């Protein structure tokens, strides 16, 4: 609870709001408008399994609050369905993200570095980068630096060494997370991707690699979950600026 | 590279040291004395698969540098083998950790909260707590607050809401990580434990639960890896004090 | 054996009927007309793997008996194939169920609460709700109350606390089943859904979560099997009205 | 919430108690004394992973409330540690349960039938039976009636047909759950056991069998979890007597 | 080696033929014309992964020898490609088999019973039946007799009890194989099908069920492999007529 | 039903006996004395998970009928417990089988060949051989002929080619089953063993190998299930002598 | 480092080049032009997950260096996109490879034999053959010689016995790798293919078979990874000509 | 066939010997004395699953031929059983190998480098080194150079770059194989070890990592199979000296 922690609200008052502040009930969905208050970022729309009508209805409700709207795994048809009504909407084809920015955007702070092992990992890496930026982080992208040509990584040493947190997106065997993790002193968020030959088993191989990393300080999110990686990296990055903690 | 980032060393000089600073070669092991410099914490001894003679030899070398010595998954026989030589050694039976503290210990800063779902998860939770403390974090323990009696968690709301990072250790189905993750604004490091009935599959069930958490901001380390969870939580906690970043 | 247990038939007579009462043999299918007698609900048509011609032939035979007809996982083409002949047929696009109601429908009794974690879990939750209603249960739906915003669940406490049995449909990590199970005193039927990112492994993650629930009183049905969950919940609900037991 | 539902407490009052009523904090454990009120049965001690000292401390606290004490997966050493202090304690070697009965025991009601496929499944089946009895159910045991000699099952038809709920414990391939489920009208709780040859994979085979049962009304608990099966069966059985629902 | 075993060829002569008798080399395939001699049935064409041109080329070569041609998993396009050239070709849409019969067909002998649990298992069951018939077995089909309505199975007791070997094709949980196996004295070939809800895992569940069958005399072939089941059943059936063995 | 099929009993009479003929109820076990009649071989005792007292009680009951007694996976302690009472008992240390032969033993007929790939597969292979012999088959053993030295197999060609059925026991990768299956015309029963390095995964590797065999006519039993393999092979072997079928 | 090892460059100079020699940064990809120098073969384009625009941009950059261009898993649309610009491009429909040969091609040396078990394994086998040829190996293809008709393999003994390294591509159960491995003295690279029935589990079965091979000297690459198998086989083949090693 | 390939034997003569040269039949084992001739190294004894008596009998037979005897996974009890009879026997406690050297040992040639990631991987790495040495390779060991401190690897660049083949033994996540593979031009044999925390799953994690390596030229052997890795590396190393190939 961001505000809580800064002392603007007492704990009791917050718990009370936790009961009272209404979410918005659309029948098929209950929008958690209180999430910005409680967790520091509004509810995000994960599109798969939802109809276009459901998604646009949720977007309308979130946009009405004036906060940031983020839809992930959004097909281009979602963008087509909203771009007239929200001309300020931004669609990122690689990341498959739809964004409607809040009126008052924070100044980017700190540094999150997003690293990808190969070109095919870009959709996941880009989703992480978009998410971290939207949450107020300065982001540097470093793509296609897999361990088969590890000198490409060393060449970017300067930017890597300045990061407060790092996202590593890698498919195949995902070894890049261990190599990066062994070199840096900040937390590494590893996100396995489902890119690879048969025994990649849709991301299982890099998932296990990253969980078993011999380099400490590496923690892992779900396969292809660029959004979750970017979110966690941005949370960590924010810790460096939260002087009240 | 902690020192690097504070500007005390230039990047080029550091890369040079990366090549020159000798690790210590014991034949069966190459001790990475440079790790303190590069990653901010010395090399840690993971005991399984090593003989007592190998472990005590590595302890001797690390202790000789005057830095902190941490051995994890250490049987009591390891403690017996070193306690005469190092009377200051501390052995934690629950966490199975052996510690020889550095001469100059840092003042604990920030707050890491370590939460366990059940009594049987204590060895993992305690290993996380010991590690985070050793790395300079103030640590609060909150044990046996699993979701089967979720009011026990809400009762500790005040301490939870002040954390810079949280470790959640849980076996069985591991749902506690999602519940905590849905309530707080700081990063949650989830560590699945191998505690449970048959279909727990030695920790696979809570591992999958935590990776699939619907609460964003939760990242995961290996099954029973309390050390890794505590290390990552302490890294994040430290970000809040690193004013140069 | 519903009727049996109410004393209307002797056991011996029933066993005899078990041998004598003919099922109807269509060659590719043997319709178990006796199932209503033996199990309290007629045979249900699981559509996948059957041709439209096979399905409509079975519907014709079941409808001819005057009992309830329920086809699950029915594509809209099945509805198109029968709606002229059975204008009273009802097709539920979300649940993918086709229903032709029996002439004499029972009065709904008791209370089954069907809870879903997210909007994408609706097809499974709705299939459960339709099934339980068809079997004579009063049903309340409570959708999109996942643990990432757990206050939405607490807000519906009143209806939850009155249930005789509860269905919880959840994908991702499926933690909702444990949270609900830890709060209520009635049986919870958990149904994992195949909704989620990569390491959901098509429902394996919430399946394991639910099987390992630390909250006792939770039992589990197959992935995405809303029909089975609704059926079991309705059986339990009925127990409360079966005064002869 | 048993009492709640009978109108003796208002919902608001109950929620308040949910916050106020203290659990008992032993440091390594937080005993949920409120569970009897909330869920209708006191907290149960799952012994694996706890030390004897921890277990006896929890038993002392639970016994002091005068309610039923149940410890599952209890080695005989647990019994030895408490039998002098609690001469009324009962230890069941097959079920590995330790019981200290409440002063006022309920009169057994209804009927739960516990069926096992083979002799090696007895520990699990017996744990289910002990649990259901302790929760106030009349229990009939029907052991060693696996499908390799299915006539043994038919011979007990009369008792089976009178059950309000049935537990089926089976290892090997677990087919018995489907056969029983196809014959009866009451809910069947299937519990897979880890008994069998190699490809049983420690209970995975019967677990999958039971989850995929073609007989509706079968729900499943964790491998070897006789306690959970007996608990759920007793909850269902109790529904038949709860006239206020 | 059928002929060998009947004494028409000496072993040495056969080994010599094993080296000398040429297979036919098409470049992309080496047709094993000797298989009829060695194994008692000609090479069969498994269509998936082969182009139409490759399949028709192999059919031409096999047909030229005057023996039986059997193509399994054949799409209707394969039939369209050969029906003008081979007007005697038979295509079975359910079994997806294409057959060109040998000029001299054997008289059917013995009895193989092919049983399926549900209507959706028909393609696999029918493939088994077609194969066994083609190999000279008399075949009876018994479809849709799954354990959810087990009386349908008992009703066909007479034909079952006369079989020399039985094929059981079942998806879902595959319990039918154990029930049949527990009743009969002849070998049962169980073939799991990939029919079912999520935790069927494309046939893994019935595969494990059948491998773990508590009924001895049940052996198992690959998921959906009706051809292999029918082939093995026919081999066993033939043993009863092979008076020289 | 052996006797049935030979016309000595009418079907109706048999079904009646199926209901009437009592099994023997020991409480913890229900001995299926009727199994000899129904399936052609008496009930067999699978020892794991049973106490010595339970096993000897079952042996006493089975021995009292004068039929063959077979206990599998029997530790030497079982033999010690019965050898004084049954001096004719035979214990096979390799196969871990305990046998008390029936008074009237059948004359061995036909030929079952039991082949093992390596020396470590002997316990499984020997269990198969003992079982098949006990069921009246003439058995030839052919041990340690794995494909790493395939000429050892070809050298025994003469005996292999005379078999009515063949058991192949193999661990590691289990390729021997395919090689044998590709050479012979009789059914092959493949039994995977749990012998091998890490990725053998306790028999999973040869299990999958055998299920996927490119050689038709190979069917598979459970990992390490020598008893099941020998039983099935003997059933097939018997088909060749059952002139009434 | 090929050149290094021949003494043309000193180690220090090479390490320096490792830092200095620039890769080419396209933003979405960083082309490792130095790979030819370091590893003896230029970077290869794995097409899945890359857009056509990305692939053609990389081809342009690689072609500009005058070295060999190899794109694997290339759809025909890739060929269509480049064939006008590079009329010398060769597209292999079976192997799905696109090749633009270097101006100076090496003379083929040694012998790599590529063996496939069935016709459906051709795409993988052909990809291996194309790769090995491109790397300067003389290659012989031996297709459709699976163990179901093992005499076809023995017939090609002469060419097999001359190989310096052998690739075996096999789906189904993959037993061919063990049979070949048991006969030859050179290293065997086994590549499992995803060809087969259900329990092949998309190549898992032959993967495990090959890893567990009882024939020493067999090592394994990823499922369907013909490129990796051909590459490794060519590396081994080259060792025989590298007189300076 | 080593000798064959050097032209000393004609192919026909060799095939003849393949049939005629007798292996030695001990009943429980058939010793393949011809393996030295056919594959270039004598049969090796894999001890697990064999009795001490069986092992010593095989050692006697192999020693009698005057060739090298190698027993792997040998407990110290095996050494105790033979050391009096064979005082020249060498037992390596780390590698668990027992060796009796041939009278005429070859001069070591070429260079195999054996690299291990951690101290706990030593038993596997040492087994590989012992095997490769015994087969005539010069071997360099490079232990404890895991990617968590990757500068330790770069420091040994000179010896790595001279290898004809490299063995990489690594547990945890096994990333070292990819890093080494991306730097060198010779084949890398990767051997995963079962060292690590829970989600290592007894070596599954590094196994998948190595199979999915983004660095080409890496092939994989079974988990903990140091013998197989060393054997393959030695075969490759030997290719460089086999001037007739």
């Amino acid at each position: 609870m961001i505000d809580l922690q800064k002392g603007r609200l007492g704990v009791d008052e917050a718990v009370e709001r936790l009961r009272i502040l209404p979410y918005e009930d659309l029948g098929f969905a209950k929008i958690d408008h209180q999430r910005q208050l409680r967790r520091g970022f509004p509810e995000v729309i994960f599109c798969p399994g939802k109809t276009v009508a459901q998604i646009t209805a949720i977007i309308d409700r979130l946009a009405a609050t004036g906060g940031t709207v983020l839809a992930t795994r959004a097909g281009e048809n979602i963008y087509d369905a909203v771009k007239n009504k929200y001309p300020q909407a931004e669609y990122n084809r690689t990341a498959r993200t739809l964004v409607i920015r809040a009126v008052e955007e924070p100044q980017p702070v700190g540094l999150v570095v997003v690293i990808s092992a190969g070109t095919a990992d870009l959709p996941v890496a880009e989703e992480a980068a978009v998410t971290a930026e939207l949450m107020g982080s300065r982001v540097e992208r470093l793509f296609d630096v897999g361990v088969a040509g590890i000198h490409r990584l060393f060449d970017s040493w300067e930017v890597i060494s300045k990061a407060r947190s790092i996202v590593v997106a890698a498919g195949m065997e995902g070894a890049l997370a261990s190599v990066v993790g062994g070199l840096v002193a900040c937390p590494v968020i590893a996100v396995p991707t489902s890119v690879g030959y048969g025994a990649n088993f849709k991301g299982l191989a890099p998932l296990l690699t990253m969980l078993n990393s011999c380099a400490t300080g590496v923690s892992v999110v779900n396969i292809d979950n660029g959004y979750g990686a970017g979110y966690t990296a941005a949370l960590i990055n924010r810790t460096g600026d939260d002087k009240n903690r």
Side-chain angles (χ1 to χ4, degrees), chain A residues 51-52 55-56 73-83 91:
Chain A
T51 64
V52 175
I55 292 167
T56 54
R73 304 286 169 99
E76 195 143 3
N77 58 333
I78 306 296
Y79 178 53
D80 292 342
V82 303
K83 63 185 172 188
Y91 184 68

Side-chain angles (χ1 to χ4, degrees), chain A residues 63-92:
Chain A
T65 68
T68 303
V69 177
L70 170 59
T72 63
R73 304 286 169 99
E76 195 143 3
N77 58 333
I78 306 296
Y79 178 53
D80 292 342
V82 303
K83 63 185 172 188
N84 286 334
K85 184 164 184 183
Y86 302 101
Q88 77 275 36
E90 303 163 24
Y91 184 68
N92 182 323

Side-chain angles (χ1 to χ4, degrees), chain A residues 92-97 114-130 141-145 167 169-171 191 193-195 224 226-227:
Chain A
N92 182 323
R93 264 165 203 78
T94 301
R96 293 151 305 157
T97 49
V114 177
I115 303 178
S116 85
T119 300
D121 301 319
L122 249 71
V124 176
E126 190 64 32
E127 191 186 50
V130 165
R141 288 157 171 85
L142 192 52
F143 291 164
D144 196 27
V145 295
V167 171
V191 51
T193 75
S194 53
V195 170
D224 289 335
Y227 162 65

Side-chain angles (χ1 to χ4, degrees), chain A residues 15-244:
Chain A
V15 169
E16 200 50 27
R17 291 181 69 165
L18 203 141
R19 274 182 47 88
I20 296 173
L21 262 188
Y23 46 84
E24 190 162 356
D25 198 338
L26 308 185
F28 59 84
K30 295 187 172 47
I31 303 175
D32 183 4
H33 289 306
Q34 195 236 9
R35 197 164 297 182
Q36 166 82 50
L37 174 68
R38 193 172 77 251
R39 305 216 54 212
F41 196 71
E43 188 163 359
V44 167
I45 309 165
F46 178 64
C47 296
K50 299 193 180 73
T51 64
V52 175
Q54 290 173 336
I55 292 167
T56 54
I58 300 174
I59 287 174
D60 284 348
R61 286 299 177 267
L62 288 170
T65 68
T68 303
V69 177
L70 170 59
T72 63
R73 304 286 169 99
E76 195 143 3
N77 58 333
I78 306 296
Y79 178 53
D80 292 342
V82 303
K83 63 185 172 188
N84 286 334
K85 184 164 184 183
Y86 302 101
Q88 77 275 36
E90 303 163 24
Y91 184 68
N92 182 323
R93 264 165 203 78
T94 301
R96 293 151 305 157
T97 49
L98 178 83
V99 171
I100 302 175
R101 293 180 187 276
V103 181
E104 298 179 45
E105 277 227 309
Q107 191 69 14
V109 298
L111 180 61
V112 171
V113 174
V114 177
I115 303 178
S116 85
T119 300
D121 301 319
L122 249 71
V124 176
E126 190 64 32
E127 191 186 50
V130 165
T131 301
E133 285 175 337
L134 215 54
M135 290 178 69
S137 302
R138 190 160 67 83
V139 173
E140 292 276 349
R141 288 157 171 85
L142 192 52
F143 291 164
D144 196 27
V145 295
V147 302
I150 207 171
H151 60 296
R152 298 174 296 190
L153 175 67
F154 292 147
D155 219 52
S156 301
W157 179 249
E158 209 163 357
V159 65
I160 293 175
S161 67
K162 287 181 183 148
R164 280 186 189 159
S165 63
I166 295 176
V167 171
V168 175
M172 300 266 183
E173 90 286 52
L176 183 61
S178 291
V179 173
V180 171
L183 290 171
V184 301
C186 72
V188 172
I189 310 300
V191 51
T193 75
S194 53
V195 170
Y197 280 92
N200 174 287
F201 293 125
K202 304 195 174 173
L204 177 63
L207 172 64
L208 291 181
T209 301
M210 289 164 171
L211 285 167
N212 285 282
S213 179
C214 58
T216 326
V218 176
S219 60
V220 186
V221 297
N222 205 342
I223 297 165
D224 289 335
N225 187 0
Y227 162 65
Y231 189 103
T232 301
L235 278 191
I236 296 171
N237 183 50
R238 200 156 64 182
T239 308
D241 288 280
D242 194 351
K243 299 306 178 234
N244 293 335

